[in-house]
């Protein structure tokens, strides 16, 4: 269903709010709880379309999941070998994480599965998971070129591999580790650059022996997962839009409570601080075993930076937000080493460049990044029509940018914001942003 937004300047952003639960952790929590022995309770579960799609798939595979209230799930685990095949295709919706991790989880089952997704997911590369899983003995067919739908054939036994991942991708790493639960021997994944480690730490929380240090993880097949309760912290990637919004809108002072600050996720904090942002971590604590804090952000005058390429994996979902911060920085911001952005929910380099240009920002695109020529803290964007390309993060980034525009910015195709940030429009209005459907 088409949904467009009209975004325009609101007031200084103020409030004391929570962002929805972490998407990556929610996917993993429901998957591991499903194949654990016993009953797990998940609180703070993201009520987004992506994570609900994963839960619905697990229900189709025979797992009983109760939802006593919003953000709560009680998962009656069926054990490692307790899933049952489904005759229907399993619909992952817009979720790359859902599809790639399920591919690993389903590769070693005694039944066939078909994984499908929406138009965007159907264009995303799956060879990156199919190839290592095939080396483990899995049999997965894709559409020519390695695209969904994926047909996973029954395989009762997989072989462990020692895998050096050519892409810095937590999804690829996780798919191989999940298949490794069903493999004979020690499965090892080595990464070119460390990526988010939620699969590793959550496997440990469910009692599976696993060795992991940044950039390397290994585990053996033949153990069992034991039910546990998981508390999901707020999603840093959702908080990112509000951090940038409050940084660029003069007079803002915003408190975001209980946000996950795993170092593999907070590259944007480092980048924004290097640009001069005023963001403090208050009441640091652990939520569900993960580092979390309340983030207090006040507006600040930003300066352009050359982003160190090694920061890219730690902020891989935050580039749309960074591009907006860069648009209001003094001088140029140079992004490189981020070619992966071209194969996300949309081509995020092309999509952000086109949208910012339409609003009056000079952006020079490169194959793996861009140079954004900032307008400075007093800069104003012009009214424009921009296209989110159906990408939730582009839609939210443009809505933030429009807070410093003269006139209305019309943003096309925003329905997918519900995949990761249900209630964004309401929360945005509550803190003072100008944003409505239309
Ligand atoms: C995710 C990993 C990242 C990220 C995605 C979620 C995960 O993808 O972009 O939104 O939960 O593992 P890649 O691993 O493909 O970089």
């Amino acid at each position: 269903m088409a949904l467009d937004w009209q975004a325009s300047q609101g007031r200084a952003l103020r409030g004391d709010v929570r962002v929805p639960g972490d998407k990556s952790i929610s996917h993993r929590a429901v998957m591991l709880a499903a194949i654990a022995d016993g009953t797990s309770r998940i609180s703070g579960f993201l009520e987004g379309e992506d994570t609900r799609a994963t839960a619905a798939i697990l229900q189709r595979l025979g797992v009983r999941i109760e939802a006593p209230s919003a953000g709560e799930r009680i998962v009656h685990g069926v054990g490692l070998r307790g899933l049952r095949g489904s005759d229907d295709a399993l619909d992952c919706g817009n979720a790359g994480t859902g599809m790639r991790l399920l591919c690993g989880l389903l590769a070693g089952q005694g039944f066939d599965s078909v994984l499908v997704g929406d138009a965007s997911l159907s264009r995303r590369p799956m060879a990156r998971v199919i190839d290592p899983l095939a080396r483990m003995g899995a049999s997965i067919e894709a559409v020519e070129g390695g695209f969904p739908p994926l047909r996973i054939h029954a395989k009762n036994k997989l072989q462990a591999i020692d895998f050096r991942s050519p892409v810095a991708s937590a999804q690829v790493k996780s798919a191989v580790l999940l298949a490794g639960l069903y493999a004979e021997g020690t499965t090892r994944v080595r990464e070119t650059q460390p990526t988010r480690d939620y699969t590793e730490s959550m496997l440990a929380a469910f009692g599976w022996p696993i060795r992991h240090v940044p950039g390397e993880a290994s585990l053996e097949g033949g153990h069992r997962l034991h039910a546990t309760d998981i508390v999901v912290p707020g999603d840093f990637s959702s908080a990112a839009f509000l951090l940038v919004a409050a940084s660029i809108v003069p007079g803002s002072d915003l408190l975001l409570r209980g946000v996950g600050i795993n170092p593999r996720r907070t590259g944007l904090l480092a980048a924004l601080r290097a640009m001069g942002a005023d963001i403090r971590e208050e009441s640091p604590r652990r939520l569900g075993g993960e580092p979390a804090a309340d983030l207090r952000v006040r507006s600040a005058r930003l300066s352009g930076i050359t982003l160190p390429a090694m920061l890219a994996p730690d902020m891989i979902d935050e580039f749309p937000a960074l591009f907006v911060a860069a648009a209001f920085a003094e001088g140029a911001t140079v992004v490189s080493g981020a070619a992966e952005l071209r194969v996300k929910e949309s081509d995020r380099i092309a999509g952000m460049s086109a949208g910012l240009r339409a609003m009056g920002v000079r952006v020079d695109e490169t194959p793996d990044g861009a140079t954004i020529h900032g307008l400075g803290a007093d800069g104003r964007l012009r009214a424009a029509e921009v296209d989110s390309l159906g990408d939730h993060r582009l839609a939210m980034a443009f809505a933030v940018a429009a807070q410093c525009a003269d006139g209305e910015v019309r943003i096309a195709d925003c329905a997918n914001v519900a995949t990761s940030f249900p209630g964004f429009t309401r929360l945005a209005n509550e803190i003072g942003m100008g944003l409505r459907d239309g």
Side-chain angles (χ1 to χ4, degrees), residues 23-24 28 97 100-101 124 128 168-172 174 196 316-317 340 344-345 393:
K23 180 150 72 77
S24 294
R28 287 158 172 84
T97 307
R100 294 196 178 113
L101 270 59
R124 297 185 65 188
R128 53 180 60 197
S169 163
Q171 294 178 355
V172 172
S174 300
R196 63 193 72 185
I316 195 64
D317 293 334
E340 275 291 298
K344 292 293 179 190
E345 286 84 329
R393 301 204 197 278

Side-chain angles (χ1 to χ4, degrees), residues 298-343:
R298 296 185 176 92
S299 49
R301 298 184 81 83
L302 305 179
S303 309
I305 56 167
T306 295
L307 191 80
M310 53 168 279
L311 260 190
D314 292 348
M315 54 179 290
I316 195 64
D317 293 334
E318 278 59 79
F319 283 93
L322 176 81
F323 273 46
V324 173
F328 295 99
E330 194 69 49
T333 294
V334 182
V335 171
S336 62
E340 275 291 298
L341 297 182
R342 296 209 180 265
V343 291

Side-chain angles (χ1 to χ4, degrees), residues 184-199:
E184 211 161 50
T186 302
T187 296
R188 185 200 311 267
V189 183
R190 291 183 246 206
E191 303 184 280
T192 45
Q193 278 178 281
T195 62
R196 63 193 72 185
D197 55 2
Y198 300 129
T199 303

Side-chain angles (χ1 to χ4, degrees), residues 5 17-23 46-51 234-243 256 392-393 395-397 400 414-428 431 433 435:
W5 281 348
V17 295
R18 276 178 197 281
V19 294
D22 187 279
K23 180 150 72 77
L46 171 64
E47 296 289 358
E49 287 170 2
D50 277 14
T51 43
D235 197 322
F236 184 84
S237 296
S238 295
F241 297 103
L242 307 180
L243 293 177
L256 307 175
H392 54 137
R393 301 204 197 278
M396 291 185 276
V400 169
C414 301
N416 277 339
V417 169
T419 61
S420 69
F421 202 146
F424 177 76
T425 312
R426 184 190 42 73
L427 186 69
I431 62 173
M433 283 172 63
L435 180 64

